[in-house]
Amino acid sequence: MQNRFLDSITMLDKPLATALAPLLHEQFCGHIDANQFAMLVEASGKKEEQVLMELLPIAAALANPPISEFYVGAIAKGKSGDLYMGDNLELPGEALFHSVHAEQSAISHAWLSGETEIVDIIVNYSPCGHCRQFMNELFNGSNIKIHLPQQETHTLSYYLPYGFSPADLNVTMPLLCKRVKEFSLNSDDPMIIEALDQMGLSYAPYTNTNAAVVLETTDGATFCGRYAENAAFNPSMQPMQMALSNLIRHNRQYNEIKRAVLIESSEGKISLVGATMDALHTIAAVELEHIVVEPMPA
């Protein structure tokens, strides 16, 4: 079992802790598939919603908040039945807008894993306005059920009445809808090829700045992040922040990063290079490789 879970697993009832412990191996990054979750529910002898609540300390153990020291854990349950844990992330000494909220982390975890609809969000503290707006960008977002400790379950529309959504800006395929945009680049570099693939899956309906980041660690592992825009603009999630959240969820350290690539579209109205460099140089002595590519003709 990973050391970061030693304290949180002691907070669980023994039947659930015993069933969960084998899943918390060195490769565990917060993903519990539907069959594993069914096994945990059966072992606990409790209802699904209660088990989800009891798993929150495990999600919070993934957090990395050196500024606030306030640990938030969230779980996104996909339509597939799989669970995707997320956590808050803060960059040491850096501006607060670089932070990743736990709900954003869980949602990006699901998105990177290929999930196309989230039906439940379980979180140990009430979602802030930033996160409510971020969730409202999702496919069928207003109907997502929000579960909080010792509170009744309500849909997002209860927490965000009169919400501003992609539809207000004439976007008909919101975040998590399956989409692929093609870009042209000749390269035999596996890391750049991965970045190009992730860029094609990114979500930038407001600026057309499709973008992705890939980080490579000293052992050759890679961790990606895609750009995810928001109708309210500020809650947009930067690809570097998503990649760093991905890295930390996998229990890797910033000092393991040896290479970083940002790839973005030439047709975008903005560039993410400045914000990406700021975040990277806060945590790693690595130069950012910045590549701009042309979209393929429709």
Side-chain angles (χ1 to χ4, degrees):
M1 184 192 300
Q2 296 177 31
N3 290 338
R4 58 182 172 172
F5 300 120
L6 292 178
D7 289 337
S8 55
I9 201 167
T10 63
M11 301 169 65
L12 308 183
D13 289 345
K14 188 173 181 179
L16 179 57
T18 300
L20 180 62
L23 302 183
L24 304 180
H25 47 72
E26 287 302 314
Q27 285 71 46
F28 181 75
C29 63
H31 179 213
I32 296 176
D33 68 34
N35 291 331
Q36 291 170 332
F37 179 52
M39 177 271 294
L40 295 176
V41 171
E42 183 178 1
S44 72
K46 299 177 181 178
K47 295 181 179 180
E48 283 192 9
E49 186 171 349
Q50 190 171 358
V51 175
L52 286 168
M53 287 291 176
E54 294 186 8
L55 289 175
L56 284 174
I58 303 298
L62 299 170
N64 189 334
I67 300 170
S68 68
E69 299 182 7
F70 187 74
Y71 288 72
V72 185
I75 301 170
K77 184 180 180 184
K79 192 173 183 179
S80 66
D82 284 15
L83 308 182
Y84 306 91
M85 294 181 177
D87 52 278
N88 60 321
L89 172 71
E90 300 159 2
L91 301 189
E94 192 50 82
L96 296 181
F97 70 80
H98 284 293
S99 302
V100 176
H101 297 229
E103 295 91 330
Q104 287 181 304
S105 175
I107 290 165
S108 67
H109 185 180
W111 187 35
L112 290 171
S113 300
E115 197 72 50
T116 56
E117 184 174 355
I118 291 170
V119 295
D120 297 270
I121 293 285
I122 305 91
V123 61
N124 57 349
Y125 295 99
S126 183
C128 69
H130 183 99
C131 289
R132 297 178 196 195
Q133 181 64 45
F134 188 82
M135 287 187 274
N136 205 42
E137 193 74 22
L138 303 178
F139 172 73
N140 207 21
S142 63
N143 293 320
I144 292 173
K145 296 187 287 293
I146 309 297
H147 305 260
L148 295 165
Q150 300 178 338
Q151 293 189 39
E152 292 185 12
T153 297
H154 295 285
T155 62
L156 177 61
S157 60
Y158 172 88
Y159 288 98
L160 190 67
Y162 312 109
F164 188 71
S165 73
D168 292 300
L169 295 178
N170 300 316
V171 171
T172 58
M173 293 183 65
L175 184 60
L176 293 193
C177 288
K178 201 72 174 181
R179 69 179 73 223
V180 179
K181 193 167 185 176
E182 298 290 337
F183 293 88
S184 176
L185 178 67
N186 290 322
S187 176
D188 58 2
D189 185 326
M191 191 166 162
I192 292 177
I193 293 170
E194 180 180 355
L196 190 69
D197 289 342
Q198 294 296 331
M199 176 191 184
L201 295 168
S202 64
Y203 176 77
Y206 310 112
T207 68
N208 287 323
T209 309
N210 289 80
V213 163
V214 176
L215 305 174
E216 184 180 20
T217 50
T218 51
D219 62 351
T222 57
F223 302 90
C224 65
R226 306 170 189 152
Y227 188 32
E229 287 190 333
N230 189 273
F233 285 22
N234 284 352
S236 300
M237 191 171 182
Q238 299 286 321
M240 176 58 82
Q241 276 74 356
M242 193 178 295
L244 292 175
S245 180
N246 193 4
L247 178 93
I248 294 297
R249 270 203 323 274
H250 282 83
N251 203 25
R252 307 302 291 267
Q253 305 302 313
Y254 297 139
N255 61 11
E256 297 180 63
I257 299 171
K258 73 171 185 180
R259 189 180 175 198
V261 172
L262 164 68
I263 188 166
E264 58 183 352
S265 172
S266 63
E267 69 175 356
K269 296 179 181 179
I270 62 172
S271 174
L272 307 181
V273 65
T276 303
M277 289 174 62
D278 283 347
L280 176 64
H281 293 162
T282 298
I283 47 86
V286 175
E287 289 303 315
L288 179 69
E289 299 174 41
H290 178 218
I291 301 170
V292 178
V293 298
E294 299 286 337
M296 293 183 68

